């Protein structure tokens, strides 16, 4: 489900893939703490050159690769369909999930967990190639496969409730 206080919807209609370009959004540019929904086939490689915090990030379809400025993440990342990449360094502000319902969500940006649990969830797959740091733990839930491909530095526990957790290339904490 989508958690939001308000949502800005990406349409990619601007001349460049910057988040600060109003024509890329249905309506106006997002403000801090708003949730962001990425859909469509235009400007799928886009850059956060605007926000310091975001609510929830939702990928409606595949093909997106998000990069740019680091953010505080309020409600996690939801991959509804396809293969998408979140390459933005993030700091968690509460326990939250990176949930992939279908396809693969790749998280290549670093995640500072702020002492909160990060849950990898859903029937789809997650690939964690960014470093998770902090005193919070990691939880694997959902029937999908999660792959961790880099050495992690978080100091909380690791819990596997469901699905498969693959550790490759020194992925253990």
């Amino acid at each position: 489900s989508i958690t939001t206080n308000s949502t800005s919807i990406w349409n990619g209609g601007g001349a460049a893939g910057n988040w600060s370009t109003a024509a890329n959004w249905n309506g106006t540019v997002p403000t801090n703490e708003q949730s962001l929904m990425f859909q469509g086939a235009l400007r799928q490689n886009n850059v956060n050159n605007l926000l310091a915090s975001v609510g929830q990030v939702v990928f409606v379809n595949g093909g997106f690769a998000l990069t740019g400025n680091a953010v505080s993440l309020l409600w996690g990342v939801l991959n509804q369909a396809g293969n998408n990449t979140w390459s933005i360094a993030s700091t968690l502000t509460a326990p939250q999930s990176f949930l992939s319902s279908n396809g693969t969500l790749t998280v290549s940006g670093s995640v500072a967990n702020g002492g909160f649990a990060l849950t990898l969830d859903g029937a789809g797959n997650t690939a964690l190639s960014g470093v998770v740091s902090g005193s919070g733990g990691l939880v694997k839930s959902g029937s999908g496969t999660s792959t961790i491909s880099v050495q992690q530095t978080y100091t909380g526990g690791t819990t596997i409730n469901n699905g498969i957790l693959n550790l490759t290339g020194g992925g253990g904490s």
Side-chain angles (χ1 to χ4, degrees):
S1 69
I2 298 171
T3 304
T4 181
N5 57 348
S6 67
T7 301
S8 288
I9 301 172
W10 180 267
N11 63 29
N18 294 321
W19 289 11
S20 62
T21 303
N24 284 326
W25 302 96
N26 289 349
T28 60
V29 295
T31 58
N32 283 320
E33 300 185 5
Q34 277 189 302
S35 290
L36 307 176
M37 183 178 290
F38 293 90
Q39 63 184 19
L42 298 177
R43 310 250 181 274
Q44 289 187 310
N45 295 325
N46 57 71
V47 178
N48 174 19
N49 65 336
L50 176 67
L51 300 176
S53 64
V54 296
Q56 183 179 46
V57 176
V58 178
F59 295 107
V60 175
N61 58 274
F64 284 93
L66 280 52
T67 61
N69 298 341
V71 296
S72 292
L73 192 58
L74 281 65
W75 300 309
V77 179
L78 172 58
N79 189 67
Q80 293 181 331
N83 300 327
N84 293 291
T85 302
W86 176 256
S87 296
I88 296 174
S90 306
T91 300
L92 306 185
T93 62
Q96 48 196 279
S97 296
F98 289 174
L99 189 149
S100 181
S101 298
N102 185 308
T104 300
L105 171 63
T106 299
V107 180
S108 61
S110 62
V111 179
N113 67 29
F116 301 107
L118 171 61
T119 300
L120 304 177
D121 200 354
N125 302 317
T126 52
L128 190 60
S129 60
V131 173
V132 178
S133 62
S135 61
L138 185 74
V139 178
K140 170 60 183 99
S141 292
S143 60
T145 298
S146 293
T147 302
I148 299 175
S149 61
V150 296
Q151 181 68 38
Q152 300 299 314
T153 63
Y154 67 91
T155 57
T158 301
T159 303
I160 302 172
N161 293 329
N162 195 6
I164 297 170
L165 180 62
N166 287 328
L167 303 177
T168 64
S173 172

